[in-house]
Amino acid sequence: MKGKLGFLNQGPKIVYWEITKRCNAPCLDCTLKKSACDYTEELNTDEAMDVIRDIGQMSAAQLVFQGGEPLLRQDLPKLIAMADKMNISVSMTTNGSLLTKEKAVQLKEMGLRQINLCLEGATHETHDRFHSKNGSFDTVLYATEIGNQSGFRVQYNYTLTKDNVHELPLLMELAKDQRVAVVTVYFRMNARCSQMLDDHLNMDNEKIDEILRQLFHWSINYPFELKPICAPYYYRVIREEAEKMGMLISPRTFGEMSITKGCVSGIKQCFISYRGDVYPCRYLKELAGNVREVPLKDIWNDAPIFQQLRKLEPSGKCGSCEYLTVCGGCRLRSYLAHREIFSEDPDCLYDPQP
């Protein structure tokens, strides 16, 4: 098999935490069903502080506060300060509308290191339509300016759809001009947003493969870090494309991308919901436990779903693929197609070599 998994049986490298369901942006691809949310179930400050202590004791390197809109939590500065005290690198995903210069200074002082801004179009028209609000694109640009001026690493989270895929070249130029540090490109799937998705926004597999190869070449030529998300095949693609160019995939040439794998849910990362439920990732709703009942460390070490994911034993062509340890397939796509998490990924175009 091509690549090695040297990170099994360790604590999570990164924890994604939906600290609130509350939000002030009616985005078209929203994962939230606001009418069904009971906000009183959110972990309170004391509970959240206990979880952060747990995360610190597990030596997790990164904690990402998500929502909803994290800035709607009044205790956010206190939570950031606690994470910083535990030597955890903290970032926050936001739509940018509530970020002011004063708030940025406060969060920086508390220990926030990175701001992840949601961007669904590289033009005013596309992004504003996606967020159902005029001026949303300008809000992101202003938040980018605040982030840069305040000394944060700024990341753009770009959700890829049929409606905005044509703007990817513009996104690359925009990110360069705005001096962002990271661009993540999220590849949608039908289950991502529950019943709120429209199939017409999704792309076919051939188009996805084409885009992944283009992203690889952009990653070489642009000054920011470029990360496809929910597209584990990228880690096969970069090896195929690099081989064509006579390039070696190594930590020196490609950094972390050379030693990680496509899907690390339950292996290097986990997701905590606003009410403390723990899952392999935000979209794979296979419950591992709840932090109100069991410490996160015990959930991470003992939950059956996490132990199964770490065995890395999918069936079908994923199981026989020479790229298994650098790709692994998407377990959610497997579940959607076969009602079986550990079956083959139906969206992968690659046929394993005998």
Side-chain angles (χ1 to χ4, degrees):
M1 291 182 183
K2 301 187 178 183
K4 297 180 179 180
L5 285 179
F7 43 74
L8 296 179
N9 301 318
Q10 300 177 3
K13 178 181 177 182
I14 183 168
V15 176
Y16 295 94
W17 187 354
E18 175 192 59
I19 58 173
T20 183
K21 278 282 192 183
R22 289 169 285 162
C23 192
N24 61 338
C27 305
L28 293 181
D29 77 331
C30 187
T31 62
L32 309 181
K33 295 181 179 179
K34 297 179 176 62
S35 61
C37 290
D38 181 0
Y39 301 131
T40 62
E41 293 186 355
E42 286 180 2
L43 296 180
N44 62 36
T45 301
D46 289 340
E47 291 172 323
M49 297 288 262
D50 286 341
V51 173
I52 292 171
R53 292 186 188 96
D54 247 8
I55 294 171
Q57 291 170 2
M58 297 168 69
S59 300
Q62 299 177 60
L63 173 59
V64 183
F65 287 130
Q66 300 177 321
E69 173 52 60
L71 287 169
L72 289 172
R73 272 197 73 137
Q74 296 303 308
D75 60 357
L76 180 62
K78 182 182 290 188
L79 301 183
I80 291 172
M82 172 57 77
D84 185 62
K85 182 180 178 181
M86 300 297 294
N87 296 314
I88 306 169
S89 178
V90 190
S91 63
M92 172 187 69
T93 300
T94 175
N95 60 47
S97 63
L98 300 178
L99 186 66
T100 63
K101 293 181 179 179
E102 295 74 20
K103 177 61 72 173
V105 169
Q106 179 193 28
L107 297 181
K108 183 70 174 179
E109 290 176 348
M110 293 299 101
L112 186 69
R113 302 186 190 182
Q114 179 168 309
I115 294 175
N116 310 323
L117 293 167
C118 301
L119 189 66
E120 275 73 41
T123 63
H124 292 79
E125 179 183 6
T126 303
H127 181 80
D128 288 3
R129 182 175 67 251
F130 206 86
H131 279 253
S132 303
K133 185 177 181 180
N134 291 334
S136 295
F137 184 76
D138 287 333
T139 294
V140 172
L141 296 186
Y142 182 59
T144 304
E145 180 182 345
I146 291 175
N148 284 330
Q149 291 177 350
S150 302
F152 291 112
R153 275 170 54 93
V154 177
Q155 172 176 308
Y156 281 166
N157 292 348
Y158 194 81
T159 301
L160 198 62
T161 73
K162 279 184 179 179
D163 287 352
N164 65 16
V165 63
H166 65 285
E167 293 185 356
L168 273 175
L170 294 177
L171 173 66
M172 299 299 114
E173 291 299 314
L174 176 68
K176 182 180 71 172
D177 293 343
Q178 295 296 317
R179 297 180 293 115
V180 305
V182 185
V183 173
T184 61
V185 180
Y186 284 79
F187 286 76
R188 295 160 51 94
M189 60 193 77
N190 285 342
R192 172 167 299 183
C193 306
S194 189
Q195 303 301 314
M196 305 181 74
L197 277 182
D198 291 322
D199 287 341
H200 76 275
L201 293 177
N202 296 324
M203 293 173 294
D204 60 48
N205 297 334
E206 288 76 12
K207 183 64 175 178
I208 289 174
D209 186 80
E210 174 189 328
I211 294 168
L212 291 176
R213 296 181 190 279
Q214 181 61 68
L215 289 176
F216 168 75
H217 292 282
W218 280 332
S219 74
I220 298 172
N221 297 313
Y222 279 94
F224 46 80
E225 187 177 356
L226 187 56
K227 294 181 179 181
I229 304 296
C230 296
Y233 336 109
Y234 182 68
Y235 295 85
R236 166 181 54 82
V237 165
I238 65 173
R239 285 161 173 81
E240 293 174 337
E241 293 297 304
E243 185 175 353
K244 293 176 185 177
M245 300 171 65
M247 299 176 65
L248 177 67
I249 298 290
S250 70
R252 185 179 63 83
T253 55
F254 285 90
E256 184 184 3
M257 297 292 255
S258 68
I259 59 175
T260 190
K261 66 183 287 288
C263 180
V264 294
S265 297
I267 301 172
K268 292 178 68 175
Q269 73 174 37
C270 64
F271 171 79
I272 305 174
S273 79
Y274 72 107
R275 57 188 178 191
D277 291 330
V278 181
Y279 302 100
C281 76
R282 185 180 191 113
Y283 311 114
L284 182 55
K285 298 300 186 180
E286 186 73 18
L287 184 64
N290 185 286
V291 296
R292 281 182 165 134
E293 301 168 358
V294 181
L296 181 61
K297 182 177 181 179
D298 292 340
I299 295 173
W300 178 259
N301 290 332
D302 302 331
I305 181 60
F306 288 160
Q307 293 181 355
Q308 288 176 291
L309 287 167
R310 291 164 199 162
K311 289 179 181 178
L312 204 65
E313 296 177 346
S315 62
K317 69 177 185 179
C318 282
S320 61
C321 184
E322 67 269 32
Y323 290 101
L324 173 63
T325 57
V326 296
C327 172
C330 174
R331 298 301 98 214
L332 175 56
R333 288 185 174 96
S334 169
Y335 178 77
L336 293 175
H338 310 292
R339 290 297 180 251
E340 167 55 56
I341 292 175
F342 300 102
S343 184
E344 67 182 41
D345 185 332
D347 287 349
C348 179
L349 296 176
Y350 183 74
D351 290 321
Q353 300 301 304

